[in-house]
Every structure is written in C-alpha cells, then in structure tokens.
Amino acid sequence: MSAKASPTAAVAPAERREQPAASANIAHASMANAIRALAMDAVEQAKSGHPGMPMGMADVATILFTRFLKFDPTDPAWPDRDRFVLSAGHGSMLIYALLYLTGYEAMTIEQIKRFRQLDSITAGHPESSHTPGVETTTGPLGQGLANAVGMAIAEKHLATVFGDGIVNHKTYVVASDGDLMEGISQEAIALAGHLRLNKLVVLFDDNGISIDGVLALADSVDQIKRFEAAGWNASRIDGHDPAAINSALEKAQTSSKPVLIACKTKIGFGAPSKQGSEKSHGSPLGAEEIAGARKALGWTAAPFEVPADILKAWRAAGVRSKNVHAEWQKRVAGLDGSKRAEFERRMAGALPTQALADAVRTVKEKLAAQAKEIATRAASELALESLVPALPEMIGGSADLTGSNNTRTKDMKVISSGNFSGRFIHYGVREHGMAAAMNGMALHGGIIPYSGTFLVFSDYCRPAIRLAALMEKRVIHVMTHDSIGLGEDGPTHQPIEHLAALRAIPNLLVFRPCDAMETVECWQLALETKNRPSVLALTRQNLPQLRNRLDVDNICARGAYEIAGPDGRAEVSIFATGSEVAVAVGGAKLLAERGVAARVISVPCFELFLEQNEEYHRAIIGTAKIKLGVEAAVRQGWDAIIGSDGLFVGMTSFGASAPYRELYKKFGITAEAVAHAALTKLGKM
Ligand SMILES: Cc1ncc(C[n+]2csc(CCOP(=O)(O)OP(=O)(O)O)c2C)c(N)n1
C-alpha cells in the first residue's frame, strides 16, 4: 500500500457497514467507528500516542470481539478465556477502547480520557500487571507474538492434564509489520509451526506502513509464503470487510495448524489526509483531521462519547460468553475434589508447599550425608530430579543445549506436536523466542517455566527477561557455563559482563550458587519467588562442596552469609560468588598462614542481600579493614558491597581459549592473587 493511498477510500466500504454485529442490531461500521473515535480522541487529549493502528484494525477487532473471542469482562482472570495479545503494543488504544466498550469495570471513560497519564490504567503501551484484561506487556515489537506461542503451548499442555472440558481456549494475536520484521518473530513462528499450535491465530495488520514510511523501503518478504513455509495456514483478506474477516476467523476455528490471517488495512482508516500514511502512525491527528475523519466516518458524537445504542451493542458483546463461563464453572465444580483443588492451586500460582519442602530436604540430606564435588549445573540436575516430580507445574526446556544445561531429568517426557503431556521442550536454537515463550507460559498461568542456555547467551534472551521482570512473572532461567571456567570454548562463550548486566535489571534475581548445597537452596528461592524472574548462573566445571551440614533453613535466603569465619578478629573480609567462593576460601587460608585473619562471605544473590535491613548489612559487610570481592567477571556493581575503595579480583577483559585452570591463572583469579592483594594493601608484602 502506498503512502499516497487515496484519502477518499476511507469511507468507501460503506456498503459493508450494513453487516449487523452479532450482539445487537447496530451496523458493524458504527461499532468499529466507536473504536476509531476513542483512539483519535484519547491520543489527541494526551497529545501523544498512536491512532493509526487502532483505526486500521478496528474492523478486525470488532468482528473478533463481538463474534469469536471467549471472554468475560466481569472476570478478566477466568482461566479458560481466550487470550488476546496486542503484540503491536503501540496501538494500545485499540485494546483500551475494546476493554471500555465491552464493559471491563476498571476501564472507565475517565481512564480513556487519562490515556498515558500518571497512575492511569491506560499506559502508553499495554502493561499486564497494570490493566485488567491486558494479557501481556507489549511495545517492544515481536515480544507479544512470541508470548502468545508460550500461551498456546501452556493451553495445550494443561488441556492434557485437566481435560478439554476445563482447558480449551484460543490465543489471538494482533501483530504488525514491525512485529513480523523483528527476528524474534521468526523463532516464534517456527516453533509454533513445528508444534502445530492450531489454536493460535495471528491477525496481521497488513497495512504496508511503518514509521519511516512505506514498508517497501525496508521489507519485501512474502509473509504468506513465510508462514506457510513454517507450517501455518495463511491467507490474506480485506481487513475492512466484515464478511471476509468473519469467514477467515470462522475457518480458523477448525485449523489443524496455527493460522495467519493477513488483514489488508489502511492505517488511520477514516482520516481524510493521513490514512494510508505513516503520518497517522504515531502522533495526534490534529483537530482539523479529526473533524474530517468524523465526517468521513459519519461519527457525530462528542469527543469521548459513544452513542447509547452503540455502547449497548458493545456491552452486549461483552456478555456473550456469560453462559459459556457459567457452564465452565459447573464443569470445574463437577471435577473430582482433588483434581479441582489441583487445578485451582496451579492457576493461582500457589506452590505445593509440603512437597517442595520435602523435595529440597531430600536433596540436602543426600548432600549432607555425602558431599559431592560436582559442577553446579550437575547439582541443579540433582535438585531437579527431586523438584520436577514434586512440582507438576514445572515445564523445563533448553535452547538446544539440553545435555550441557542439565535441565532434563531422567523421567521427563518431551512435548511434541502429537503429544503435549510431556514436560520438556526442545526450543531449538531460539534463545530469544524461548525466553519470550516462557513469559507467555507464566502469563497464561498454571505453569512455572524453566529453561536453559549458556549464560553468555543471556544477551539473546535479555529483552524477554526484562519484560518478565517488568511483568513480575516467575520465569526461571538456568544459565550454565557461567564464566571463563567453561574453558576451551574461549572468549566468545565466556560471559564477562553478563552478571553485571543481569543484575542491572530491576526485579530480577540473579543467583550464583557456590556449591551443590547452595544450588538446591537457590532453586528453592527461585521457585518460591512468585513475582519475579530468576537467573541461576551455574558452572560447567566441578566445585568442591563447601557446606556439608544439613541446614533446615535456607541459608541463601538473605542473599549473603559468612561461609568461613575468621580465626580471631578479621582484618580482611572476602566476598565471592559461585565458583570463586572456593578461591576466596583458599585465599583466606593463605592469609591465615601469614597471620592475617580473614572471613569469607558467600554472596549467592546480590539482590536479596541488598534488600536486607541495615543491621544485617552491617553484620555481613563487617568492620574488617579490607574488603575484597572475587568474581570471574567485571567489577561493575560490586562497589555496593565492597565500597569504591574495596579490592576486586576478577576480569577486566574478555577471556581466552584454554583449559580452565590455566585461565584462572592467566587472569589472576586464584587464592594466591587474593592473598597477595590483601597483603599488599595491609603493607605486608
Ligand atoms: C523492538 C522495537 N523496536 C522499535 C520500536 C519502535 N516502533 C514502534 S512501532 C514501530 C513500527 C511501526 O510499524 P508497524 O509495526 O507496521 O506499525 P503501524 O505503523 O502499522 O502501526 C517501531 C519501529 C519498538 N516499539 N520495538
């Protein structure tokens, strides 16, 4: 579509407006125009926002919400509702208008008037933890589409567990050109096609316009062929033709593959001079243009006013699924008591507390009885062998590094297109898509997703991890090969700045356990943390087990603790994480030989430690003259613990390719280096 598309075309499909909405005797066009008017008015009032997309997709959204979507505005969290994902989050006024029109109590006209203002529930881009009816936070293009893949996987899996009388819904996505240009969309599309997620329906806003202008400036992909090649059913329709939209959605209901419906639309539909052009994408249309659009659309109501008969028709659409909801509630009530309790527990995200405690204790007892000198990735597997059977909501996976990440326990069956009852997903080499799909599973509910890749590839997952943190979702990333300690694969694979970069993300817990015992405890903490994601940074190389005692409490829970006390009054406090805790203990021994008392503090989780009270901080940081941090990574972030005058033994450059023991020597991360640094500062060298 050209940027110069005829403005008069805006009102052309008048003949199609006779099509009645399913819910009332109101013309389809009036229903759709209510969305358009609200979008124009809200963006105008906010003096910012994106009117074009909601105006373009109003017809598609109207048919979807008035005829197909299973939802109940009085219960936005109804577990068996269809999920609606607005992947093109910049078009947020589309979903806000729909929520208002269909009668979500929280979405008042006042909220629409306060679009993009502080403390409104109509934020610039939709935020799931903020607005009832918003399924996921979108805005970073491509993420929503990939979330939807995770939601559709979650639906399929839970249907096998609880039966399709209880779990049987679709996932609908509105995606834009931008969503489909982003790399993550390829990962998502390929995974969805591979798994034959036939209840996933993507409505592509095929308007041929992005911010810079016509799409042809930057893209010439045949999306129909692209989706077909990935195993989807794909078709193209006129996105302003209600009958065509209806029949495409009708057909989608029984597809055996995921469905793409490319909806040819005009961005800014109705705006006399800006429709079909990037000028309607991301700024207020202006008073004159809005007046012209109202005229062209035949919309005479005052700003923010929806005529009573039209609003009534929309509200009728909002109660369409009431009976279906009530029938569903009856089926849930009719479930066997323990099955119902289990379904409700899982959907509420409540843990089986006793089973978890028992599983953790079993592993700790084993480790206390016989210490294990194993890599923390292997310790994680050991923990998972107990945790996975105890927590049926855990769905594991790996981005093609299953054997390296140790995320698949012996009894875990694989999820495949033919059988979703398994609990392990081979995500393929798709870290970004994996992390976003995990967000989708967590958002769907009933599942705690965990998965694996190398820590260095956290960069490939980062945008999705950031959103999990923003959305406050329990998503657990096992990231192994967590330092130069991975050895021979060399600097391309050795994370240096990644711990610091992850610690910079608010509301994310970054765990780096020092031995098998800490690994179990960190797993427990990650699972028990309902409102934030976690990263478990784990080693490839074996580590000694430093804690052999059976502690009933979770010693890692406060983020840092003294793991080796000083002999006498400490002159040096050594803080370390993960594999470097053993190095720190070695350093303290050497110092003791030189008559210098040193204590060692293990810091498995910076975030949890920094959240403790001042008294605990004082006790742990201590009063020793010298504070020294050890971590085979960059110093950034460490000053919060060791102070800007603290000593740091770590990395300042990329690593190198060699057996790991040689690398620790080459980069000076050794017990000797620790002792030497402290002695030098004490003037004892
Ligand atoms: C990852 C990411 N990159 C860039 C942006 C900024 N951005 C917002 S919308 C958009 C593209 C707009 O084109 P399209 O997706 O076709 O939406 P439309 O113009 O049709 O509304 C861009 C680049 C973003 N939101 N996310």
Side-chain angles (χ1 to χ4, degrees), residues 50-54 87-91 125 138-143 175-182 184 204-213 215 265 267 277-278 280-282 463:
H50 303 76
M53 188 278 212
S87 193
H90 59 276
H125 293 83
T138 52
L141 290 164
Q143 294 288 335
S176 65
D177 293 305
D179 284 303
L180 300 193
M181 282 192 278
E182 286 292 349
I184 189 174
F204 164 35
D205 181 18
D206 189 7
N207 64 19
I209 291 290
S210 66
I211 291 178
D212 279 1
L215 193 67
T265 62
I267 189 169
S277 142
E278 70 278 10
S280 68
H281 162 86

Side-chain angles (χ1 to χ4, degrees), residues 639-664:
D639 289 9
I641 292 174
I642 58 175
S644 56
D645 57 345
L647 302 174
F648 187 71
V649 171
M651 298 293 293
T652 52
S653 67
F654 292 115
S657 169
Y660 80 92
R661 288 180 210 280
E662 287 175 41
L663 292 175
Y664 272 90

Side-chain angles (χ1 to χ4, degrees), residues 247-394:
S247 75
L249 280 168
E250 194 65 61
K251 207 165 154 206
Q253 304 304 308
T254 51
S255 175
S256 60
K257 301 174 179 178
V259 176
L260 173 83
I261 304 172
C263 309
K264 270 277 170 212
T265 62
K266 274 190 171 43
I267 189 169
F269 183 95
S273 78
K274 294 185 178 175
Q275 74 159 356
S277 142
E278 70 278 10
K279 291 192 188 91
S280 68
H281 162 86
S283 42
L285 295 177
E288 200 180 319
E289 186 77 4
I290 290 179
R294 283 168 177 273
K295 204 164 164 208
L297 296 169
W299 190 262
T300 52
F304 297 107
E305 260 184 45
V306 178
D309 57 339
I310 298 175
L311 187 59
K312 193 167 159 222
W314 267 112
R315 292 287 153 93
V319 297
R320 256 180 48 245
S321 309
K322 274 250 168 285
N323 290 342
V324 176
H325 189 181
E327 282 158 24
W328 177 85
Q329 280 166 327
K330 272 189 219 147
R331 287 196 298 277
V332 172
L335 282 177
D336 160 89
S338 64
K339 195 163 185 185
R340 188 176 74 225
E342 177 65 0
F343 178 70
E344 286 168 353
R345 176 189 77 73
R346 286 185 60 171
M347 292 312 296
L351 291 170
T353 323
Q354 194 55 49
L356 173 58
D358 292 347
V360 169
R361 191 171 173 100
T362 305
V363 187
K364 283 177 131 184
E365 277 173 356
K366 247 185 238 167
L367 294 172
Q370 191 176 19
K372 285 195 183 302
E373 183 162 336
I374 52 177
T376 46
R377 63 177 170 144
S380 167
E381 182 177 357
L382 195 76
L384 287 171
E385 290 290 358
S386 282
L387 294 169
V388 167
L391 275 69
E393 57 267 57
M394 290 176 76

Side-chain angles (χ1 to χ4, degrees), residues 482-484 495-496 512 580 630-634 649-651 664 669:
D482 71 347
S483 75
I484 55 165
I496 301 295
R512 192 162 187 251
E580 284 72 68
V630 198
E631 187 171 72
V634 293
V649 171
M651 298 293 293
Y664 272 90
I669 306 175

